[in-house]
Amino acid sequence: MQTSLKFKIINHMTMENKGNLQFHGRPSLFATWVTIRTGFTFNRLVTLEFEDPMILQKRLRNGVTDYYPVILAEQTEDDLMLSFWVAQGHLGLLVALQYQSKPDAFDIADSYQDVISDRKLTKTEIKEIFECIFANPSVLYPVELGVGTEAEDDTQKTPA
Amino acid sequence: MKLKFRIQALLSHGKNGFQAGTSPMGFAMEISERLHKPFNILARVWFEDDDILQQNEEGEHTGYDHLFIGYQDEKEYWLTLWVSRHAGLPVGIAFRTDRKVWTSSAYRKSTFTKKLNSQEVEEVFQYVFDHPEEIPIGIIQYPPNL
C-alpha cells in the first residue's frame, strides 16, 4: 500500500538454527522492562527510523530528545500482535496495540497522550505503519546466525 | 518491623559455563527464554519470616523460591525478582543506571500470606545493588556463546 510516511525498520534479534531467539542492545532492555511490567510475551523486536528525524521527538533548549520508536510483537501460528511504543532509554509509553485477526479493533492507547513531541504521529499514520507491517510480516524476522540455513528474507538488517 | 532476609548466590563456574541447582537453574533458563536475554546473575532470597511471598493451600504451606535473575556486563546491568509460582511471577525489575524499582502489574494483583509492599521490594533490590560481593557476577553467558 502507499504510505506517506517514510521509515526504515531496524532489527534487534538473532536466532541460531531457528532457535535461541535473543534480543540485543538498548531496545532489548526496554523489551525486558515491558515484559516484566505488563506480563505480555514478545518474540519480535524492531525499532523504526523515520526519514523525518523530528517525528516523535521534542526540541529542547540544547538539542533534541532521544526518544526511539519500538515495535514489540508476538508472532504466533495464527495471529500477529503488534505493539508500538515510544521509548527513552529502558522506559517507554505505549502508543497502540493491535492484533492482525481483529483489524477493526484499532485504538490509540491512553498513554499516547503523555508522549510530548513537536511532531506526533496521527492515528491514521500509526494505522498505516501497522498495516504496512501486517502486509509484510517478514520485516519482523530475526537475523538467522545458524550455519547451513539461509536467512529467509531480504529485509534490511542491522546485526547486533 | 524491619524486613529480615539474606541473599544466597546460586551460580558457580562449571565445566560448561555456569551451573546451579537443577530447580532454580531450570526456572532461570525458562525466564531467560521468555525474556530473550541471557543471564549471569542467579541468587535466592531467604526471608526470615517464611510467610513472606508464600501461600497456604489447603493447609499446606507453599515452598516457592524467590529468585533474582539478572545480567551484568560492561554495557548493561539489570535485576529481576521472581516468585517460582506456576510459570513464574515477576515481582519487579530494576536497572543499575538509575536503580529505580518497577513492580509488575501481576505482582500488584497477586495475593500471598504476607506480601512485600513496594518499599520493601525496593529494599531487597537496593540491598543486592549495594552488596555486589554477595552475588557472583560472571562474564560467561547463558546460553554460552559457542
Side-chain angles (χ1 to χ4, degrees):
Chain A
M1 66 172 276
Q2 203 62 27
T3 160
S4 45
L5 276 174
K6 290 222 165 80
F7 60 94
K8 275 199 293 195
I9 290 177
I10 298 147
N11 193 310
H12 302 278
M13 303 160 286
T14 55
M15 277 189 116
E16 290 167 72
N17 293 317
K18 307 199 174 194
N20 188 22
L21 175 65
Q22 293 281 304
F23 289 175
H24 300 276
R26 178 176 68 161
S28 75
L29 301 180
F30 172 69
T32 303
W33 179 80
V34 174
T35 306
I36 299 290
R37 290 274 288 169
T38 63
F40 278 108
T41 54
F42 304 101
N43 57 17
R44 298 289 182 260
L45 169 65
V46 299
T47 52
L48 306 181
E49 203 180 286
F50 294 102
E51 194 176 63
D52 174 356
M54 284 312 292
I55 288 180
L56 297 175
Q57 301 293 347
K58 169 130 186 79
R59 252 175 244 289
L60 304 170
R61 252 170 301 168
N62 48 2
V64 181
T65 49
D66 64 345
Y67 302 151
Y68 60 101
V70 180
I71 302 277
L72 270 167
E74 188 174 43
Q75 175 83 68
T76 58
E77 260 178 49
D78 31 54
D79 211 350
L80 174 58
M81 179 272 275
L82 295 182
S83 66
F84 185 167
W85 303 74
V86 176
Q88 182 180 32
H90 55 253
L91 309 177
L93 292 166
L94 179 65
V95 173
L97 187 148
Q98 192 179 11
Y99 289 86
Q100 188 162 28
S101 60
K102 295 172 193 147
D104 298 327
F106 174 82
D107 255 317
I108 298 296
D110 291 343
S111 49
Y112 188 46
Q113 288 170 16
D114 301 327
V115 175
I116 309 295
S117 164
D118 301 319
R119 169 63 175 93
K120 282 181 86 162
L121 295 172
T122 63
K123 186 174 174 177
T124 314
E125 287 172 324
I126 296 164
K127 205 166 164 38
E128 265 181 37
I129 294 170
F130 276 20
E131 279 167 10
C132 172
I133 296 172
F134 281 134
N136 307 282
S138 69
V139 297
L140 300 178
Y141 287 172
V143 178
E144 177 58 68
L145 301 175
V147 185
T149 46
E150 290 284 310
E152 288 181 54
D153 58 305
D154 55 359
T155 52
Q156 310 175 46
K157 303 291 189 189
T158 311
Chain B
M1 204 188 75
K2 181 142 171 41
L3 181 67
K4 286 201 176 136
F5 62 92
R6 64 184 183 86
I7 305 293
Q8 178 195 9
L10 296 175
L11 285 183
S12 59
H13 290 278
K15 270 189 221 145
N16 304 307
F18 281 137
Q19 56 187 35
T22 315
S23 162
M25 192 64 178
F27 180 80
M29 282 159 69
E30 275 174 33
I31 298 308
S32 170
E33 210 169 294
R34 200 189 302 177
L35 298 174
H36 309 296
K37 293 284 289 177
F39 67 95
N40 59 15
I41 295 168
L42 177 59
R44 178 179 281 136
V45 188
W46 290 97
F47 295 103
E48 194 177 86
D49 180 343
D50 62 9
D51 278 338
I52 288 177
L53 301 181
Q54 300 291 351
Q55 285 169 283
N56 279 300
E57 280 177 352
E58 296 161 15
E60 293 275 327
H61 195 70
T62 54
Y64 300 139
D65 226 343
H66 308 112
L67 297 171
F68 271 109
I69 298 170
Y71 186 81
Q72 183 188 29
D73 66 9
E74 52 292 331
K75 286 189 207 138
E76 58 188 77
Y77 181 2
W78 50 269
L79 295 172
T80 56
L81 177 60
W82 296 81
V83 181
S84 68
R85 182 167 82 175
H86 310 305
L89 174 85
V91 176
I93 181 166
F95 296 84
R96 180 65 180 82
T97 40
D98 59 7
R99 295 171 58 132
K100 183 173 166 52
V101 179
W102 301 85
T103 52
S104 72
S105 61
Y107 178 69
R108 291 194 298 276
K109 281 183 253 169
S110 66
T111 45
F112 291 100
T113 309
K114 259 191 200 155
K115 213 170 147 174
L116 300 175
N117 62 34
S118 54
Q119 207 183 332
E120 290 165 326
V121 171
E122 176 144 354
E123 205 180 303
V124 181
F125 271 88
Q126 300 310 341
Y127 181 86
V128 176
F129 281 134
D130 287 340
H131 297 84
E133 72 282 1
E134 295 197 18
I135 43 167
I137 291 168
I139 46 167
I140 303 168
Q141 303 182 353
Y142 183 86
N145 280 328
L146 297 174

